[in-house]
Amino acid sequence: MRGTHSDMGQDNTFPGNNGTGDDESPVDPGAGNEDPGTSGVDPENAEPGETEPESTDTNGKESPLRTALDAMTRQRIIIGGIVLAVLILIGIVIWVLVGALANRPVADASPEPATSTTRGTLPADVAAKDYQLGDCFADFDSSASHARVVECNTDHSAQLGAIFRYKAGDSFPGTTALRDKGREICRTMLLNEASSKYVLLQQNVYPSSTSWDKGDRRVDCFIVVDSGNTLKESVLQK
């Protein structure tokens, strides 16, 4: 049950590579094994014939530098295509995950409004499951199953500032999620000007797995002082 050390959690915090190239050079496919640059010798007169300079026509041939540049360009295009495909795939995965999470049921994220519900005659001993928003407590012990609720204009040590209730059909979210929920709802509280006169701490109380199985679905955020009944007024905005 809520209120015992074994049945609830508490959180006490203060506010505030290049590829290798081809080394072979282009070869003239029409050169064969003939002696380049010689038009022939007259076999009868044994006089050398005229010689012509070797053709320097490079039409249809690519220089090694251009070949290397073309290879680098193709490599960059391939790499760019791979990167683009990966980015598209990541985008699709994110879109699917966002869609799945959007359709997942979650607990109502709104804490109860910070208004106090009218009590009967006070002071009164009240069970932890019956604490109401705005209640002020004398000699408050968050691990106790009961606490003494008093008028907020009398001496007290704590005030219940925020409550969050999970739905009855929700699964146990885990201790970390419950603790974080307590801190979240504490940040929603609005304190009044009188709160500046005190050194205030926050204390979160949330279900254990055992008390959750027994139906406990509430997370409470209390505003407390470090010791004694030194609060003499409500510190919450109305």
Side-chain angles (χ1 to χ4, degrees):
M1 291 292 294
R2 166 181 288 271
T4 64
H5 288 281
S6 62
D7 281 344
M8 69 179 179
Q10 296 187 40
D11 177 32
N12 301 312
T13 60
F14 290 87
N17 300 326
N18 291 330
T20 55
D22 187 351
D23 292 331
E24 297 182 0
S25 299
V27 179
D28 183 356
N33 295 321
E34 296 179 0
D35 185 9
T38 303
S39 63
V41 177
D42 184 348
E44 293 183 359
N45 300 320
E47 294 181 357
E50 295 179 352
T51 61
E52 296 178 356
E54 183 179 359
S55 174
T56 58
D57 183 10
T58 59
N59 289 339
K61 300 179 183 178
E62 292 183 352
S63 68
L65 177 59
R66 181 175 181 82
T67 302
L69 290 174
D70 288 345
M72 291 176 64
T73 300
R74 288 194 296 270
Q75 186 180 41
R76 289 174 179 173
I77 292 174
I78 293 172
I79 293 174
I82 293 173
V83 171
L84 180 60
V86 171
L87 291 175
I88 293 174
L89 180 60
I90 292 174
I92 293 173
V93 171
I94 293 174
W95 179 78
V96 171
L97 290 176
V98 170
L101 292 174
N103 295 326
R104 184 178 178 180
V106 295
D108 183 4
S110 301
E112 295 184 2
T115 56
S116 178
T117 302
T118 302
R119 282 286 190 187
T121 303
L122 299 178
D125 290 333
V126 178
K129 66 182 180 63
D130 296 324
Y131 295 164
Q132 296 179 2
L133 203 59
D135 277 351
C136 293
F137 306 89
D139 302 315
F140 181 67
D141 179 0
S142 62
S143 64
S145 60
H146 289 71
R148 190 161 185 81
V149 179
V150 300
E151 296 286 354
C152 289
N153 58 1
T154 63
D155 296 350
H156 57 282
S157 62
Q159 185 171 8
L160 180 53
I163 301 172
F164 178 87
R165 285 185 173 88
Y166 285 87
K167 296 177 182 178
D170 287 342
S171 300
F172 183 67
T175 300
T176 299
L178 288 167
R179 181 191 63 219
D180 291 345
K181 178 59 69 176
R183 293 175 178 178
E184 177 187 326
I185 65 172
C186 276
R187 289 194 293 268
T188 68
M189 290 188 307
L190 297 177
L191 303 181
N192 59 25
E193 293 183 0
S195 64
S196 62
K197 297 187 294 184
Y198 306 95
V199 177
L200 301 175
L201 309 174
Q202 71 180 42
Q203 188 171 52
N204 308 129
V205 180
Y206 45 83
S208 67
S209 58
T210 302
S211 63
W212 184 280
D213 290 340
K214 295 178 181 179
D216 187 3
R217 295 290 187 274
R218 62 183 282 169
V219 178
D220 294 334
C221 176
F222 296 91
I223 298 301
V224 302
V225 290
D226 57 354
S227 63
N229 294 309
T230 57
L231 290 171
K232 301 180 183 299
E233 57 204 309
S234 172
V235 294
L236 297 178
Q237 284 189 15
K238 295 182 177 180

